């Protein structure tokens, strides 16, 4: 049993308990060998004698120990001592992304995308090591005090050593992929789906699918279309909307195929938020909505029942500091048994599973009856339909190739109308009008007539009744946040506060509102107000040495903007690297300041020409040279290119060459001088005898400068 003050592994002193999960506890400890604080994750005693649990604990440690990345909570050590199984990992001070979203209601698209980029990089490192997280969600993402984003809890990750691995892990149902919900094969693209749901929550402050039971939520992941985040926050850029939709496709083949693709689009969205660069993969049968089989439904109910039973044990295994109070992070990885094909149920859990299965069966029967009444109840009478089920499946009727029929949605609820348009590949915008004849939330008009042929992707404006209880949104810009919040709440509105910076408007004054003043909306609608934080000061990061795209991301993450971009030749930095920034690294400037950058084109590509007349050796160069003597002449550039090599006794010699990469060269002249020759007369015969001398080579060089072309 672990006690405060005890020493584990002869080096880790247990200081305090900082968290607990379903099958393990986490303690803050001090490593006396390296003199640093760490988190020690210890398997609970009641599980330490269970071979399956110990095996799972070891698998978790082995999977996580192979990962070292700045966006992952790193594992330092793994061990066992006197029956205590433990993992030593990095201690991170900060809060979970879940808590961060709750504090800010929702994040700006720039902040959400920047966080998603860091999360993606951490997951990419795991995928490169053949490790799938399988439980990506805001509770498992930590934002440190320094603003670094880290992915934690690889507790249910498993090394993907073959192509036939099937996960038994349900995961957290709000973020689980359709294939996980069905209990089928899951791979890297399952993490991409979960990250897409997490990005959706960052942007909107809510999850896309919710329900009273885990079964209901799981079924929605499998069968219901993902609502567009722009339905909740209209100002979300089109590219970011496209990224979320592509991440959350039902079919894995229609999602991003790897994290590199996702990171590239996320970075591009910061540079071109309204750009049309997100490529949605072609539809296939796997991507369509389909009914669940009986076996799949049974699997979902069983897994959901197990999750409900174990969910009480969830709690973050790391307690990190956030101001005055420690923050609890959830740790869902310990609730699930990975090894084997079945869960290790206890009798109480078995009874609970049976009860939940019966209840779920009753609920499904009721739903089937209600749907049958709605589908068949209005046949044969002249009543107007009240929703899409009255005329069958909305997307059954199509127009010509590339076109779809506009359904008649007047009299439908807003939700049904949106679903009908989405099913046909159309988009919806909403405006509200007061009506004395239609109830609140009922469509009373459209800007396109029914049965019109529309190109797929057309945006249709729905006019929706506010009933007789609509309220006109007052103007609150220019007011203090306290006054604005009071006025809006007095009128029955919900208020979401978003922080922003302004060089012109003082702190705590509202600088923007959505919807705008003068628009009538239903009572209780949410009004988003942006409140000035004054002139925010931010630290300028180092951009020099980064690529243009990475530098843009770094500046955006720091709260800055990229100003003028120029491209220059620079021999110190390779092509496409930033070689200049207008504000030095580490300086503090107002948030939103534009930083001018210069991007290197690489070393300047300069060429030279040689137009020279080579003269004979001079007396100064070659005192013993005899005019007319044959000379070996060579001309070589400083980078080793041979331009001229010949023997001649005639001077001057011309040398004309172009497109040279070197700015200068060397002329070498080599000639021979004869030494020691004599003439004698034979005394006996009187014959003249000539004794030839010895030829000695001589050489010298001349430096020659070329002319820049």
């Amino acid at each position: 049993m672990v006690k405060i003050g005890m020493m584990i592994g002869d080096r880790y002193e247990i200081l305090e308990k900082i968290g607990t999960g379903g099958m393990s506890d986490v303690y803050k400890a001090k490593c006396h060998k390296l003199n640093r604080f760490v988190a020690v994750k210890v398997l609970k005693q009641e599980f330490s004698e269970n071979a399956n649990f110990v095996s799972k604990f070891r698998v978790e440690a082995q999977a996580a120990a192979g990962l070292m990345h700045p966006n992952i909570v790193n594992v330092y050590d793994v061990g066992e001592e006197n029956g205590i199984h433990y993992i030593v990992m990095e201690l991170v001070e900060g809060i979970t992304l879940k808590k961060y979203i709750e504090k800010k209601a929702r994040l700006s698209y720039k902040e959400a995308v920047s966080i998603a980029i860091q999360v993606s990089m951490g997951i990419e490192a795991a995928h490169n090591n053949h490790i799938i997280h399988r439980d990506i969600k805001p509770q498992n993402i930590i934002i440190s005090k320094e603003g670094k984003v880290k992915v934690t809890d690889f507790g249910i990750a498993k090394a993907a050593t073959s192509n036939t691995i099937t996960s038994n892990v349900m995961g957290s149902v709000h973020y689980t992929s359709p294939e996980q919900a069905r209990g089928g094969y899951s791979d890297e693209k399952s993490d991409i789906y979960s990250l897409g749901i997490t990005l959706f929550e960052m942007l909107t402050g809510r999850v896309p699918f919710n329900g009273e039971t885990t079964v209901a939520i799981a079924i929605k992941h499998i069968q219901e279309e993902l609502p567009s985040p722009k339905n909740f926050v209209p100002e979300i850029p089109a590219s970011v909307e496209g990224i979320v939709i592509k991440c959350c496709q039902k079919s894995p083949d229609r999602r991003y195929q790897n994290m590199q693709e996702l990171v590239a689009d996320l970075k591009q969205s910061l540079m071109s938020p309204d750009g049309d660069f997100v490529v949605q993969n072609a539809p296939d049968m796997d991507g369509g909505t389909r009914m669940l089989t009986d076996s799949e439904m049974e699997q979902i109910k069983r897994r959901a029942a197990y999750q409900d039973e174990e969910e009480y044990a969830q709690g973050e295994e790391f307690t990190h500091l956030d101001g005055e109070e420690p923050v609890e992070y959830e740790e869902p990885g310990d609730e699930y048994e990975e090894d084997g094909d079945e869960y290790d149920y206890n009798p109480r859990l078995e009874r609970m599973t049976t009860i939940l299965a019966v209840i779920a069966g009753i609920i499904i029967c009721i739903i089937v009856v209600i749907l049958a009444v709605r589908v068949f109840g209005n046949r044969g009478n002249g009543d107007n339909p009240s929703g899409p089920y009255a005329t069958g499946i909305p997307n059954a009727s199509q127009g010509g190739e590339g076109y779809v029929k506009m359904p008649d949605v007047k009299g439908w609820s807003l939700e049904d109308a949106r679903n009908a348009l989405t099913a046909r590949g159309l988009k919806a915008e909403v405006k509200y009008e007061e009506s004395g004849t239609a109830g609140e939330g009922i469509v009373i008009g459209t800007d396109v007539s029914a049965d019109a042929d529309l190109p797929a992707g057309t945006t249709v404006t729905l006019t929706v009744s506010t009933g007789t209880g609509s309220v006109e949104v007052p103007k609150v810009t220019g007011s203090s946040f306290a006054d604005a919040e009071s006025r809006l709440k007095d009128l029955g509105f919900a208020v979401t506060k978003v922080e922003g910076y302004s060089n012109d408007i003082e702190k705590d004054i509202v600088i923007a509102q959505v919807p705008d003043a003068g628009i009538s909306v239903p009572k209780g609608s949410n009004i988003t107000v942006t409140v000035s934080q004054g002139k925010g000061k931010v630290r300028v990061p180092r951009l020099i040495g980064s690529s243009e795209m990475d530098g843009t991301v770094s500046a955006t993450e720091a709260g800055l903007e990229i100003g003028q971009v120029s491209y220059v030749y620079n021999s110190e930095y390779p092509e496409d690297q930033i070689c200049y920034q207008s504000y030095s690294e580490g300086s503090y400037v107002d948030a939103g300041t534009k930083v001018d950058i210069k991007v290197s084109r690489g070393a300047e590509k300069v060429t030279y020409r040689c137009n020279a007349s080579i003269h004979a050796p001079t007396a100064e160069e070659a005192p013993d040279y005899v005019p007319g003597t044959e000379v070996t002449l060579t001309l070589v550039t400083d980078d080793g290119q041979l331009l001229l090599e010949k023997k001649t006794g005639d001077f001057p010699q011309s040398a004309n060459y172009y497109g040279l990469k070197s700015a200068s060269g060397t002329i070498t002249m080599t000639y021979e001088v004869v030494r020691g020759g004599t003439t004698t007369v034979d005394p006996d015969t009187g014959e003249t005898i000539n004794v030839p001398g010895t030829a000695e080579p001589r050489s010298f060089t001349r430096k020659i400068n070329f002319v820049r072309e």
Side-chain angles (χ1 to χ4, degrees):
M1 180 176 180
V2 178
K3 296 182 179 179
I4 303 301
M6 73 179 296
M7 192 76 71
I8 295 180
D10 294 327
R11 63 185 295 185
Y12 304 111
E13 181 186 359
I14 303 298
L15 301 179
E16 59 177 314
K17 186 175 181 179
I18 57 176
T20 186
M23 59 175 280
S24 58
D25 295 319
V26 176
Y27 298 85
K28 181 178 180 181
K30 183 176 182 181
C31 175
H32 285 274
K33 284 191 177 181
L34 298 178
N35 194 29
R36 65 181 177 186
F37 293 105
V38 295
V40 178
K41 185 176 185 179
V42 179
L43 184 64
K44 288 183 177 179
Q45 188 173 4
E46 57 264 35
F47 301 121
S48 61
E49 297 179 359
N50 185 310
N52 287 334
F53 277 97
V54 171
S55 174
K56 177 181 181 297
F57 196 76
R58 287 175 179 170
V59 169
E60 171 187 353
Q62 291 168 358
L67 301 176
M68 294 295 292
H69 191 273
N71 296 119
I72 291 176
V73 175
N74 295 311
V75 173
Y76 297 142
D77 193 9
V78 180
E80 184 272 333
E81 182 179 284
N82 298 326
I84 298 174
H85 299 269
Y86 63 90
I87 303 175
V88 181
M89 57 186 62
E90 179 183 4
L91 181 67
V92 183
E93 294 185 353
I95 63 172
T96 62
L97 177 59
K98 186 71 172 181
K99 293 288 186 182
Y100 189 65
I101 296 172
E102 290 174 355
K103 282 188 173 184
K104 300 192 70 172
R106 62 180 177 84
L107 311 185
S108 68
Y109 87 87
K110 288 185 178 180
E111 189 173 20
V113 169
S114 297
I115 290 173
I117 289 172
Q118 295 190 59
V119 173
S120 299
M121 289 178 174
I123 299 173
E124 180 184 358
H127 289 179
N128 290 340
N129 284 274
H130 309 294
I131 294 173
I132 307 168
H133 191 290
R134 288 189 173 88
D135 196 28
I136 296 297
K137 61 180 182 178
Q139 293 91 329
N140 287 339
I141 298 168
I142 304 171
I143 302 176
S144 71
K145 283 186 174 180
E146 295 76 26
K148 198 70 176 177
V149 179
K150 290 178 177 283
V151 182
T152 186
D153 191 10
F154 282 81
I156 57 174
K158 181 189 290 185
T161 54
S162 74
N163 293 328
T164 58
I165 289 177
T166 300
S167 170
N168 283 328
V169 179
M170 180 73 169
S172 295
V173 71
H174 287 98
Y175 309 91
T176 193
S177 65
E179 58 269 25
Q180 285 175 288
R182 286 193 293 264
Y185 172 86
S186 61
D187 60 6
E188 289 86 349
K189 293 184 282 293
S190 300
D191 285 349
I192 291 175
Y193 182 94
S194 298
L195 180 55
I197 300 294
T198 300
L199 181 56
F200 185 105
E201 184 174 359
M202 285 193 282
L203 294 166
T204 65
R206 53 165 289 165
V207 291
F209 302 120
N210 219 329
E212 295 182 358
T213 66
T214 52
V215 173
I217 299 171
I219 292 173
K220 287 183 178 181
H221 277 289
I222 296 171
Q223 291 190 336
E224 290 193 8
E225 291 297 325
L226 183 85
S228 169
K230 288 176 71 71
N231 292 345
F232 306 99
V233 184
E235 58 266 30
I236 293 175
S239 64
V240 179
E241 177 195 27
I243 290 171
V244 173
I245 291 174
K246 185 171 182 178
C247 285
C248 299
Q249 291 293 317
K250 304 299 183 189
S251 169
D253 292 336
R254 298 181 66 189
R255 301 173 201 155
Y256 290 97
Q257 297 303 292
N258 54 60
M259 281 296 173
Q260 294 94 317
E261 294 180 5
L262 174 56
V263 169
D265 274 5
L266 287 169
K267 289 182 177 180
Q268 185 66 29
S269 71
L270 291 176
M271 301 176 65
S272 306
D274 295 316
D276 184 18
F277 54 83
V278 179
V279 179
Q280 301 292 344
N281 295 333
D284 55 18
M285 289 302 295
D286 290 337
T289 301
R290 66 180 182 83
M291 296 300 293
L292 292 176
T293 64
D294 292 339
S295 61
E296 288 175 334
M297 179 65 76
E298 187 61 32
Q299 281 182 317
I300 293 170
K301 289 188 289 186
R302 185 172 182 179
R303 297 176 202 285
Y306 182 79
Q307 179 167 338
D308 288 337
E309 176 71 14
E310 291 293 322
E311 205 161 39
Y312 77 95
Q314 291 189 9
E316 174 52 37
E317 296 202 344
F318 306 97
T319 298
H320 303 277
L321 302 180
D322 175 32
E324 303 84 11
E325 296 181 337
V327 179
E328 282 197 33
Y329 294 12
E330 294 188 359
E331 192 242 336
D334 291 338
E335 310 112 337
Y336 306 102
E337 178 59 50
E338 290 188 62
D339 299 321
D341 292 329
E342 294 184 356
Y343 293 104
D344 185 14
Y345 282 106
N346 57 41
R348 185 167 66 91
L349 185 56
E350 193 70 53
R351 289 194 299 271
M352 180 65 71
T353 302
T354 303
I355 294 171
L356 288 176
V358 172
I359 294 174
I362 294 172
I363 293 174
I364 291 171
C365 290
I366 295 173
I367 292 173
V368 170
V369 171
I370 293 174
L371 292 180
V373 170
R374 294 190 67 179
V375 171
F376 301 107
N378 287 324
R379 291 189 176 183
N381 59 46
D383 295 339
N384 290 330
S386 60
Y389 300 103
T391 55
I393 299 195
N395 61 354
S397 175
Q398 300 292 337
E401 183 176 355
Y403 285 78
V404 294
K405 289 284 187 183
M406 173 64 190
D408 185 2
V409 296
K410 291 182 181 179
W412 295 13
S413 69
L414 174 59
E415 181 179 1
D416 286 344
R418 271 180 173 158
N419 290 339
L421 294 177
T422 302
R424 298 193 183 198
L426 302 174
K427 298 180 180 179
E429 285 187 352
V430 179
K431 70 176 184 179
Y432 292 93
E433 285 186 7
E434 188 170 348
S435 172
T437 58
E440 181 181 337
I442 300 300
V443 177
I444 57 177
T446 62
D447 65 340
V448 178
S449 60
D451 294 328
D453 288 330
L454 302 176
T458 300
T459 299
V460 177
T461 300
L462 304 175
T463 304
V464 179
S465 169
T466 61
T468 56
S470 64
V471 183
E472 183 177 309
V473 179
K475 178 181 178 182
V476 294
T477 54
S479 306
S480 68
F481 173 68
D483 290 343
E485 183 179 36
S486 176
R487 289 177 60 196
L488 292 172
K489 286 188 174 181
D490 286 346
L491 292 172
F493 294 115
V495 180
T496 297
K497 178 182 178 182
V498 177
E499 295 179 349
Y501 291 96
S502 172
N503 293 329
D504 304 317
I505 301 176
E506 63 185 36
K507 188 176 181 180
D508 292 329
I509 300 300
V510 177
I511 56 179
Q513 67 180 81
V514 177
D516 290 332
I519 296 176
S520 294
V521 297
K523 189 174 183 179
S525 298
N526 183 78
I527 310 298
T528 300
V529 295
T530 303
V531 182
S532 172
Q533 300 301 299
K535 295 182 178 181
K537 296 289 184 180
V538 296
R539 187 177 185 274
V540 178
R542 177 178 175 81
L543 306 180
I544 294 176
S546 303
S547 67
E548 181 181 356
M549 179 174 288
D550 289 343
T552 301
V553 171
S554 297
T556 303
E557 289 177 344
L560 304 171
E561 296 181 11
I562 294 297
Q564 183 177 355
V565 180
S566 56
Y567 300 88
V568 298
Y569 290 108
N570 188 291
S571 59
E572 294 184 23
Y573 293 91
E575 186 176 358
D576 195 40
Q577 280 194 4
I578 297 173
C579 58
Y580 165 84
Q581 61 187 80
S582 58
Y583 292 92
S584 60
E585 176 191 4
S587 60
Y588 285 86
V589 299
D590 292 337
T593 296
K594 292 186 176 181
V595 181
D596 298 335
I597 60 173
K598 294 180 181 179
V599 181
S600 172
R601 290 180 173 175
E604 187 173 6
K605 298 173 179 61
V606 180
T607 59
Y608 300 86
R609 59 183 172 86
C610 172
N611 299 115
S613 179
I614 304 174
H615 296 278
T618 64
E620 291 78 11
E621 294 172 325
D624 49 5
Y625 170 73
V626 177
T629 301
E630 188 176 63
V631 177
T632 300
L633 184 65
T634 61
L635 173 58
V636 180
T637 64
D638 287 349
D639 60 358
Q641 183 182 2
L642 177 64
L643 301 179
L644 174 66
E645 184 177 29
K646 67 183 296 187
K647 291 184 178 181
T648 183
D650 297 329
F651 290 96
Q653 289 286 325
S654 62
N656 298 298
Y657 304 96
Y658 301 88
L660 305 178
K661 296 180 180 180
S662 184
S664 58
T666 301
I667 299 172
T668 301
M669 293 187 182
T670 303
Y671 60 95
E672 292 183 345
V673 176
V674 178
R675 298 292 187 190
T678 59
T679 302
T680 60
V681 178
D682 189 323
D684 296 330
T685 63
E687 181 182 359
T688 301
I689 301 173
N690 293 319
V691 179
T694 303
E696 298 179 358
R698 297 281 190 274
S699 67
F700 65 90
T701 61
R702 292 177 186 167
K703 195 70 177 175
I704 180 172
N705 293 320
F706 306 142
V707 178
R708 184 170 176 172
E709 290 182 323

